[in-house]
Amino acid sequence: MTKFVYADNAATTPVSREVIDAMSVCFESAWGNPSSQHGKGYEAKALIDDARARIARAFRCNANELYFTASGTEADNWAIKGAAMRMKKKGRTHIVTSKIEHHAVLHTCEALEKQGFTVTYVGVDEYGIVDLDELRDAVTENTALVAIMFANNEIGTIEPIEQIAEIAHAKGALFFTDAVQAVGAVDIDLSQLKVDMLSLSGHKLHAPKGIGMLYIRKGVVIDNLIDGGGQEKRKRGGTENVPYIVGLAKAIEIAQSRIPELDEVRRKRDRLISELTKIPYSKLNGHPTCRLPGNVNVGFEFIEGESILMWLDMAGVCASTGSACSSASLDPSHVLLATGVPHEKAHGSIRLSITHETTDEDIDYILEVLPPIVERLRNMSPLWEEIVNKNRQ
Ligand code: PLP
């Protein structure tokens, strides 16, 4: 039987047994509406209060700074549109973001451009680190918001968040960071981080899809995105998704408690990187050290990432070419292009994203099947033939 290795954890993660167990009480008995004025409602409300308090403890912030949403995308939309609309009332109509953001951020910024906001898309260096000089020049007294991701979902680069926050605040702008890929990979200490808003998503953390969260620092006021009932302190309407909120709290507690174990994940990541980059005409995408513990993104020249994925899938290995949300598109990754990788090389990149669940045997298996796939595809490539012939001369 073919072995199965799931190495696409940046796209989504399996829901953990502990999370399923924590959620089951909400389906079996605590199924009330948290807004109801009776025992069944109070029971559900108590579960949400407890979940919020536990997440606040895990991130060292105040429980009333946390708002549940239906996804990371919703949290990103709310932070950006809510801050833009609120700051517009103060005469600030400019937003600064980076060229390598997730589409949940980029497309939100584009939507605001259509409403009259101006947006500056700051570039990154060859490793995907935001250009701080360019950022400093971009932020002005007219800037409402700086929105820069904590860590990139494709190449895993971790951004210098503290410096970015300082630059935003020096001009009185708000700073929002999309931490969807960073939570569980970096210790998030909101008592120290100078961010005004931070988003996350449950399904990257072994909680289900369809639950996200936005942290809004005390004193920061943004407009609502979803109006409705009085839920979430009247800031986000909609009956609360009690089971998923309970599951998210469990997943965050586990993820934060596992931070000390990440060295093991890094060791496996580095083994993959070191072996895969021994393949001729291959290159690591992203930063060699400032990168997510489980992210490997390697480009192989003269072949297509999609073809590698197909062969990997047949061998039982799940990987990705980058962002799952745009993988249906044949355009090369906007992230790789922003780091200066040329079009033709950007097409040959794949991402392997591993976690504490990935074993040494899984790494061995990837290293057993992937190099022959690259070789096989190159042997079918006319471009590769040209290189071989040139090298023979
Ligand atoms: N931001 C980043 C960096 C992501 O990687 C993702 C998902 O891939 C999202 C936002 C969107 O999160 P969700 O899938 O919960 O909408």
Side-chain angles (χ1 to χ4, degrees), residues 134-149:
E134 203 180 317
L135 180 71
R136 221 170 268 113
D137 290 344
V139 181
T140 70
E141 311 288 338
N142 184 37
T143 306
L145 176 75
V146 174
I148 301 218
M149 66 201 325

Side-chain angles (χ1 to χ4, degrees), residues 105-353:
V105 168
L106 287 178
H107 289 164
T108 301
C109 289
E110 286 165 20
L112 286 172
E113 280 183 284
K114 292 194 186 104
Q115 293 179 39
F117 288 87
T118 51
V119 182
T120 306
Y121 299 87
V122 171
V124 295
D125 70 9
E126 62 180 302
Y127 301 115
I129 303 260
V130 165
D131 184 328
L132 293 180
D133 291 328
E134 203 180 317
L135 180 71
R136 221 170 268 113
D137 290 344
V139 181
T140 70
E141 311 288 338
N142 184 37
T143 306
L145 176 75
V146 174
I148 301 218
M149 66 201 325
F150 206 124
N152 186 266
N153 46 303
E154 294 188 30
I155 56 175
T157 302
I158 299 173
E159 300 296 339
I161 289 303
E162 290 299 332
Q163 284 159 280
I164 296 170
E166 245 172 61
I167 294 170
H169 291 154
K171 292 282 162 65
L174 292 173
F175 176 47
F176 159 63
T177 191
D178 170 338
V180 167
Q181 294 288 339
V183 176
V186 177
D187 181 20
I188 305 281
D189 179 353
L190 289 168
S191 71
Q192 298 300 317
L193 271 181
K194 300 283 182 285
V195 301
D196 297 305
M197 293 175 284
L198 174 145
S199 63
L200 61 83
S201 171
H203 73 103
K204 312 290 183 177
L205 295 168
H206 305 277
K209 290 151 202 61
I211 182 76
M213 201 187 78
L214 182 64
Y215 158 82
I216 308 177
R217 179 178 294 286
K218 186 168 179 268
V220 172
V221 184
I222 63 169
D223 281 6
N224 288 1
L225 180 71
I226 298 183
D227 292 307
Q231 294 91 354
E232 298 296 282
K233 298 195 274 7
R234 300 191 176 279
K235 291 204 161 125
R236 196 271 183 185
T239 303
E240 299 90 335
N241 189 344
V242 187
Y244 283 28
I245 290 171
V246 168
L248 180 68
K250 184 52 136 188
I252 288 174
E253 280 180 338
I254 296 173
Q256 281 286 94
S257 72
R258 285 225 166 96
I259 297 281
E261 294 170 29
L262 289 174
D263 276 346
E264 256 304 288
V265 183
R266 276 187 202 97
R267 181 184 64 73
K268 290 173 188 147
R269 170 199 72 185
D270 290 343
R271 199 174 140 228
L272 270 177
I273 292 175
S274 130
E275 292 302 319
L276 293 178
T277 50
K278 282 181 190 158
I279 296 175
Y281 298 98
S282 67
K283 180 184 165 288
L284 176 69
N285 295 313
H287 198 281
T289 53
C290 291
R291 75 184 297 130
L292 291 171
N295 175 289
V296 175
N297 189 317
V298 178
F300 301 100
E301 282 187 59
F302 316 113
I303 52 177
E304 296 285 331
E306 277 76 17
S307 312
I308 306 176
L309 289 193
M310 220 175 64
W311 282 94
L312 277 177
D313 193 31
M314 284 193 281
V317 177
C318 301
S320 158
T321 50
S323 170
C325 316
S326 55
S327 53
S329 134
L330 288 177
D331 292 338
S333 147
H334 67 286
V335 175
L336 293 178
L337 294 183
T339 62
V341 175
H343 269 245
E344 62 289 2
K345 289 191 187 173
H347 275 299
S349 292
I350 63 157
R351 176 187 71 190
L352 297 155
S353 41

